[in-house]
Amino acid sequence: MDIDLEKFFDTVNHDMLMARVARRVKDKRLLKLIRAFITSGIMHEGIVTAHTAGTPQGSPLSPLLSNILLDDLDKEPERRGHKFCRYADDCNIYVKSQKAAQRVMESVTRYLEKKLHLKVNKDKSKITKPSAAKFLGYTMTWHRKPRLKVAPESVRRLKDHIRELLRMGRSRAIGRVITDLEPIITGWTQCYRLATVKNTFENLDEWLRRRLRCVLWRQWKKPKIRAKKLMARGLDPVRAHTSAYNGRGPWWNAGASHMNAALLVRWFMNQGLASFLARRKSFIHLA
């Protein structure tokens, strides 16, 4: 089951938070400073608006304060013997049955709202199988011994980002486009290096190479130029001309055998294209 707190950093009760901070911090000067920090106002168009609830968004102190407040939440499933994981305001609890999940959801919701004065987002909080749940961009397989994998939503967001970048770079040299992709591939793979299901990374490599072949097919524009480019990359004249004048769209041609033969994986490697799978392996070895 997935528990989502509604606008957590905007709705934290100051008195509730400070009471829990005071359990750990005995220095009254520090407590006064923290209170001043969370109640400091926001200036908008010259007018200061006081903070009556919540903690400042983007502050490095806010996640720490959230952990102090939600430490009580951690103790609830721990006390009941449930498996759980939490990061900031995102929490997953694992139980054995649908009936148990319903009971735990009701009790945890009641605890959060009555004891900690937080509001549970009922639309986003849900009871579901672990293989259908998402946590920090990860999910799990359905097997008896589940394996960690990248959630489909995380892959979809990455593809949308890459599509936008390639759409902006249709007229640029392919080497420049590949250079711009390097930090995206490295950062994303570093983020999801813990995934043990590797076919996600393999599929992304295939998808990205097809996207780049699509960019090149568009850049070549006219059938005559396409035939010339295909022949320059090793295709015989008959096949090159037949492929160049096939009348199909860029995406179809990018996945067709003639473009795969003309632009091999080795060619992309020589252009400096980073591999999702290779990056993942390197990060695992460094760990």
Side-chain angles (χ1 to χ4, degrees):
M1 54 184 256
D2 184 5
I3 298 175
D4 184 86
L5 296 175
E6 187 172 319
K7 297 181 180 179
F8 173 75
F9 288 101
D10 294 329
T11 59
V12 170
N13 182 282
H14 289 167
D15 292 334
M16 190 68 62
L17 173 61
M18 290 307 302
R20 278 151 179 78
V21 173
R23 293 177 186 172
R24 301 167 181 271
V25 178
K26 302 305 178 185
D27 188 330
K28 292 184 178 180
R29 293 171 302 173
L30 182 55
L31 290 172
K32 186 177 180 180
L33 182 62
I34 294 173
R35 167 80 69 170
F37 167 76
I38 63 176
T39 57
S40 59
I42 299 174
M43 180 175 286
H44 179 64
E45 296 181 352
I47 300 174
V48 177
T49 304
H51 256 143
T52 57
T55 59
Q57 289 276 10
S59 165
L61 183 58
S62 292
L64 175 60
L65 294 175
S66 74
N67 278 334
I68 292 174
L69 177 63
L70 293 175
D71 184 58
D72 286 359
L73 170 62
D74 295 342
K75 288 181 170 58
E76 274 297 294
E78 194 175 69
R79 181 174 60 82
R80 297 164 184 257
H82 300 315
K83 302 291 185 182
F84 74 99
C85 53
R86 182 183 64 80
Y87 183 83
D89 59 333
D90 193 3
C91 180
N92 279 11
I93 302 175
Y94 304 97
V95 293
K96 292 183 178 180
S97 68
Q98 178 86 9
K99 186 177 180 180
Q102 188 66 47
R103 185 176 63 252
V104 172
M105 175 70 83
E106 290 173 0
S107 64
V108 170
T109 299
R110 188 164 54 249
Y111 178 84
L112 286 167
E113 295 185 342
K114 299 294 184 183
K115 296 289 186 180
L116 299 184
H117 296 193
L118 297 170
K119 185 168 179 58
V120 174
N121 189 327
K122 303 239 179 1
D123 293 330
K124 292 186 178 179
S125 299
K126 55 185 178 295
I127 295 172
T128 184
K129 293 181 180 179
S131 58
K134 181 172 70 72
F135 185 71
L136 301 180
Y138 286 93
T139 187
M140 291 181 282
T141 63
W142 53 267
H143 301 91
R144 191 173 189 83
K145 292 185 177 179
R147 298 167 63 198
L148 198 62
K149 70 175 185 177
V150 184
E153 294 89 341
S154 302
V155 175
R156 185 163 55 250
R157 282 197 300 269
L158 172 69
K159 287 184 174 182
D160 289 343
H161 184 38
I162 291 176
R163 283 191 192 96
E164 185 61 29
L165 187 146
L166 296 182
R167 195 175 295 115
M168 293 165 56
R170 284 178 180 173
S171 60
R172 290 185 296 165
I174 199 70
R176 176 64 185 277
V177 174
I178 288 174
T179 300
D180 291 343
L181 286 169
E182 167 69 25
I184 298 172
I185 296 170
T186 302
W188 192 88
T189 311
Q190 168 76 355
C191 182
Y192 295 106
R193 69 190 185 280
L194 299 177
T196 55
V197 178
K198 66 179 184 179
N199 66 353
T200 299
F201 301 90
E202 295 172 338
N203 293 339
L204 279 171
D205 280 331
E206 293 176 4
W207 177 84
L208 181 55
R209 287 193 295 268
R210 184 172 179 180
R211 275 284 158 194
L212 291 172
R213 291 187 184 106
C214 187
V215 170
L216 286 170
W217 188 263
R218 289 180 185 276
Q219 288 181 352
W220 295 344
K221 293 183 180 179
K222 297 181 180 180
K224 185 177 179 180
I225 298 174
R226 289 168 178 167
K228 184 178 178 180
K229 294 288 186 180
L230 291 173
M231 285 188 286
R233 285 165 172 76
L235 269 67
D236 66 80
V238 174
R239 186 183 181 190
H241 279 86
T242 302
S243 301
Y245 286 87
N246 62 37
R248 301 267 190 168
W251 181 245
W252 185 91
N253 278 283
S257 60
H258 54 271
M259 284 295 279
N260 279 273
L263 299 167
L264 299 168
V265 174
R266 183 173 63 252
W267 183 87
F268 286 108
M269 291 176 63
N270 292 337
Q271 298 299 311
L273 180 64
S275 163
F276 285 95
L277 185 60
R279 282 285 189 274
R280 172 185 170 273
K281 288 179 180 177
S282 68
F283 289 137
I284 290 174
H285 292 152
L286 287 173

PDB file of all heavy atoms in Angstrom, residues 1 21 83 90 99 104 113 120 134 136 138 154 169 202 280 286:
ATOM      1  N   MET A   1       0.828  -1.188   0.000  1.00  0.00           N
ATOM      2  CA  MET A   1       0.000   0.000   0.000  1.00  0.00           C
ATOM      3  C   MET A   1       0.868   1.246   0.000  1.00  0.00           C
ATOM      4  O   MET A   1       1.936   1.276   0.609  1.00  0.00           O
ATOM      5  CB  MET A   1      -0.946   0.020   1.198  1.00  0.00           C
ATOM      6  CG  MET A   1      -0.273  -0.139   2.539  1.00  0.00           C
ATOM      7  SD  MET A   1      -1.457  -0.234   3.874  1.00  0.00           S
ATOM      8  CE  MET A   1      -1.302   1.377   4.562  1.00  0.00           C
ATOM      9  N   VAL A  21      10.839  18.101  17.798  1.00  0.00           N
ATOM     10  CA  VAL A  21      12.233  18.556  17.733  1.00  0.00           C
ATOM     11  C   VAL A  21      12.782  18.739  19.149  1.00  0.00           C
ATOM     12  O   VAL A  21      13.934  18.398  19.437  1.00  0.00           O
ATOM     13  CB  VAL A  21      12.340  19.882  16.939  1.00  0.00           C
ATOM     14  CG1 VAL A  21      13.759  20.443  17.013  1.00  0.00           C
ATOM     15  CG2 VAL A  21      11.951  19.659  15.477  1.00  0.00           C
ATOM     16  N   LYS A  83       6.543  -4.722   7.171  1.00  0.00           N
ATOM     17  CA  LYS A  83       7.650  -4.239   6.351  1.00  0.00           C
ATOM     18  C   LYS A  83       7.231  -2.896   5.751  1.00  0.00           C
ATOM     19  O   LYS A  83       6.103  -2.743   5.282  1.00  0.00           O
ATOM     20  CB  LYS A  83       7.969  -5.228   5.229  1.00  0.00           C
ATOM     21  CG  LYS A  83       8.317  -6.638   5.710  1.00  0.00           C
ATOM     22  CD  LYS A  83       9.644  -6.671   6.421  1.00  0.00           C
ATOM     23  CE  LYS A  83      10.027  -8.109   6.780  1.00  0.00           C
ATOM     24  NZ  LYS A  83      11.301  -8.163   7.519  1.00  0.00           N
ATOM     25  N   ASP A  90       6.904  10.224   1.375  1.00  0.00           N
ATOM     26  CA  ASP A  90       6.441   9.100   0.550  1.00  0.00           C
ATOM     27  C   ASP A  90       6.684   7.807   1.321  1.00  0.00           C
ATOM     28  O   ASP A  90       7.824   7.512   1.706  1.00  0.00           O
ATOM     29  CB  ASP A  90       7.206   9.094  -0.778  1.00  0.00           C
ATOM     30  CG  ASP A  90       6.575   8.164  -1.797  1.00  0.00           C
ATOM     31  OD1 ASP A  90       5.521   7.582  -1.495  1.00  0.00           O
ATOM     32  OD2 ASP A  90       7.145   8.012  -2.893  1.00  0.00           O
ATOM     33  N   LYS A  99      -7.209  -7.563   2.959  1.00  0.00           N
ATOM     34  CA  LYS A  99      -7.950  -7.222   4.168  1.00  0.00           C
ATOM     35  C   LYS A  99      -7.040  -6.546   5.196  1.00  0.00           C
ATOM     36  O   LYS A  99      -7.410  -5.539   5.819  1.00  0.00           O
ATOM     37  CB  LYS A  99      -8.571  -8.491   4.756  1.00  0.00           C
ATOM     38  CG  LYS A  99      -9.494  -8.239   5.934  1.00  0.00           C
ATOM     39  CD  LYS A  99     -10.124  -9.543   6.412  1.00  0.00           C
ATOM     40  CE  LYS A  99     -11.055  -9.288   7.600  1.00  0.00           C
ATOM     41  NZ  LYS A  99     -11.673 -10.564   8.074  1.00  0.00           N
ATOM     42  N   VAL A 104      -4.770  -1.651   7.898  1.00  0.00           N
ATOM     43  CA  VAL A 104      -3.582  -0.837   8.186  1.00  0.00           C
ATOM     44  C   VAL A 104      -3.727   0.559   7.589  1.00  0.00           C
ATOM     45  O   VAL A 104      -3.356   1.555   8.218  1.00  0.00           O
ATOM     46  CB  VAL A 104      -2.302  -1.528   7.656  1.00  0.00           C
ATOM     47  CG1 VAL A 104      -1.094  -0.613   7.778  1.00  0.00           C
ATOM     48  CG2 VAL A 104      -2.053  -2.826   8.409  1.00  0.00           C
ATOM     49  N   GLU A 113      -3.691  11.754  10.783  1.00  0.00           N
ATOM     50  CA  GLU A 113      -4.583  12.913  10.838  1.00  0.00           C
ATOM     51  C   GLU A 113      -4.920  13.334  12.266  1.00  0.00           C
ATOM     52  O   GLU A 113      -5.041  14.542  12.542  1.00  0.00           O
ATOM     53  CB  GLU A 113      -5.854  12.606  10.042  1.00  0.00           C
ATOM     54  CG  GLU A 113      -5.566  12.411   8.555  1.00  0.00           C
ATOM     55  CD  GLU A 113      -6.815  12.217   7.711  1.00  0.00           C
ATOM     56  OE1 GLU A 113      -7.884  11.897   8.284  1.00  0.00           O
ATOM     57  OE2 GLU A 113      -6.717  12.372   6.471  1.00  0.00           O
ATOM     58  N   VAL A 120      -3.907  12.979   4.693  1.00  0.00           N
ATOM     59  CA  VAL A 120      -3.588  11.938   3.718  1.00  0.00           C
ATOM     60  C   VAL A 120      -4.344  12.205   2.423  1.00  0.00           C
ATOM     61  O   VAL A 120      -5.549  12.462   2.448  1.00  0.00           O
ATOM     62  CB  VAL A 120      -3.946  10.540   4.267  1.00  0.00           C
ATOM     63  CG1 VAL A 120      -3.743   9.471   3.202  1.00  0.00           C
ATOM     64  CG2 VAL A 120      -3.121  10.226   5.506  1.00  0.00           C
ATOM     65  N   LYS A 134       4.751   2.079  -6.882  1.00  0.00           N
ATOM     66  CA  LYS A 134       5.946   2.816  -7.295  1.00  0.00           C
ATOM     67  C   LYS A 134       6.503   3.547  -6.083  1.00  0.00           C
ATOM     68  O   LYS A 134       5.760   4.140  -5.309  1.00  0.00           O
ATOM     69  CB  LYS A 134       5.604   3.811  -8.402  1.00  0.00           C
ATOM     70  CG  LYS A 134       6.792   4.625  -8.912  1.00  0.00           C
ATOM     71  CD  LYS A 134       6.386   5.446 -10.130  1.00  0.00           C
ATOM     72  CE  LYS A 134       5.445   6.579  -9.771  1.00  0.00           C
ATOM     73  NZ  LYS A 134       6.126   7.683  -9.035  1.00  0.00           N
ATOM     74  N   LEU A 136       9.933   6.055  -5.254  1.00  0.00           N
ATOM     75  CA  LEU A 136      11.148   6.756  -5.689  1.00  0.00           C
ATOM     76  C   LEU A 136      11.561   6.363  -7.106  1.00  0.00           C
ATOM     77  O   LEU A 136      12.743   6.243  -7.418  1.00  0.00           O
ATOM     78  CB  LEU A 136      12.305   6.479  -4.714  1.00  0.00           C
ATOM     79  CG  LEU A 136      12.063   6.898  -3.254  1.00  0.00           C
ATOM     80  CD1 LEU A 136      13.273   6.563  -2.407  1.00  0.00           C
ATOM     81  CD2 LEU A 136      11.733   8.377  -3.160  1.00  0.00           C
ATOM     82  N   TYR A 138      11.059   3.534  -8.586  1.00  0.00           N
ATOM     83  CA  TYR A 138      11.272   2.092  -8.725  1.00  0.00           C
ATOM     84  C   TYR A 138       9.960   1.341  -8.526  1.00  0.00           C
ATOM     85  O   TYR A 138       9.011   1.847  -7.941  1.00  0.00           O
ATOM     86  CB  TYR A 138      12.263   1.583  -7.673  1.00  0.00           C
ATOM     87  CG  TYR A 138      13.708   1.943  -7.913  1.00  0.00           C
ATOM     88  CD1 TYR A 138      14.262   3.086  -7.341  1.00  0.00           C
ATOM     89  CD2 TYR A 138      14.539   1.122  -8.675  1.00  0.00           C
ATOM     90  CE1 TYR A 138      15.597   3.405  -7.536  1.00  0.00           C
ATOM     91  CE2 TYR A 138      15.869   1.431  -8.866  1.00  0.00           C
ATOM     92  CZ  TYR A 138      16.394   2.575  -8.301  1.00  0.00           C
ATOM     93  OH  TYR A 138      17.720   2.888  -8.499  1.00  0.00           O
ATOM     94  N   SER A 154       8.779   6.294 -14.781  1.00  0.00           N
ATOM     95  CA  SER A 154      10.116   6.898 -14.829  1.00  0.00           C
ATOM     96  C   SER A 154      10.698   6.805 -16.237  1.00  0.00           C
ATOM     97  O   SER A 154      11.333   7.744 -16.715  1.00  0.00           O
ATOM     98  CB  SER A 154      11.041   6.201 -13.824  1.00  0.00           C
ATOM     99  OG  SER A 154      10.522   6.276 -12.518  1.00  0.00           O
ATOM    100  N   GLY A 169      16.761  19.617 -31.647  1.00  0.00           N
ATOM    101  CA  GLY A 169      18.061  19.475 -32.302  1.00  0.00           C
ATOM    102  C   GLY A 169      18.023  18.826 -33.666  1.00  0.00           C
ATOM    103  O   GLY A 169      19.016  18.239 -34.094  1.00  0.00           O
ATOM    104  N   GLU A 202      18.506  -2.088 -21.697  1.00  0.00           N
ATOM    105  CA  GLU A 202      18.716  -2.573 -23.066  1.00  0.00           C
ATOM    106  C   GLU A 202      17.694  -1.974 -24.024  1.00  0.00           C
ATOM    107  O   GLU A 202      18.030  -1.533 -25.134  1.00  0.00           O
ATOM    108  CB  GLU A 202      18.644  -4.096 -23.096  1.00  0.00           C
ATOM    109  CG  GLU A 202      19.757  -4.787 -22.328  1.00  0.00           C
ATOM    110  CD  GLU A 202      19.536  -6.286 -22.217  1.00  0.00           C
ATOM    111  OE1 GLU A 202      18.364  -6.720 -22.344  1.00  0.00           O
ATOM    112  OE2 GLU A 202      20.520  -7.014 -22.002  1.00  0.00           O
ATOM    113  N   ARG A 280      25.183   1.548 -16.468  1.00  0.00           N
ATOM    114  CA  ARG A 280      24.693   0.849 -15.272  1.00  0.00           C
ATOM    115  C   ARG A 280      25.740  -0.107 -14.752  1.00  0.00           C
ATOM    116  O   ARG A 280      26.002  -0.182 -13.549  1.00  0.00           O
ATOM    117  CB  ARG A 280      23.396   0.107 -15.613  1.00  0.00           C
ATOM    118  CG  ARG A 280      22.909  -0.812 -14.502  1.00  0.00           C
ATOM    119  CD  ARG A 280      21.706  -1.618 -14.929  1.00  0.00           C
ATOM    120  NE  ARG A 280      21.381  -2.655 -13.970  1.00  0.00           N
ATOM    121  CZ  ARG A 280      21.920  -3.869 -13.970  1.00  0.00           C
ATOM    122  NH1 ARG A 280      22.815  -4.199 -14.900  1.00  0.00           N
ATOM    123  NH2 ARG A 280      21.567  -4.763 -13.059  1.00  0.00           N
ATOM    124  N   LEU A 286      31.563   0.292  -9.524  1.00  0.00           N
ATOM    125  CA  LEU A 286      32.153   1.322  -8.680  1.00  0.00           C
ATOM    126  C   LEU A 286      31.604   1.263  -7.252  1.00  0.00           C
ATOM    127  O   LEU A 286      32.242   1.740  -6.306  1.00  0.00           O
ATOM    128  CB  LEU A 286      31.857   2.713  -9.271  1.00  0.00           C
ATOM    129  CG  LEU A 286      32.648   3.090 -10.530  1.00  0.00           C
ATOM    130  CD1 LEU A 286      32.122   4.403 -11.086  1.00  0.00           C
ATOM    131  CD2 LEU A 286      34.129   3.187 -10.239  1.00  0.00           C
TER     132      LEU A 286
END
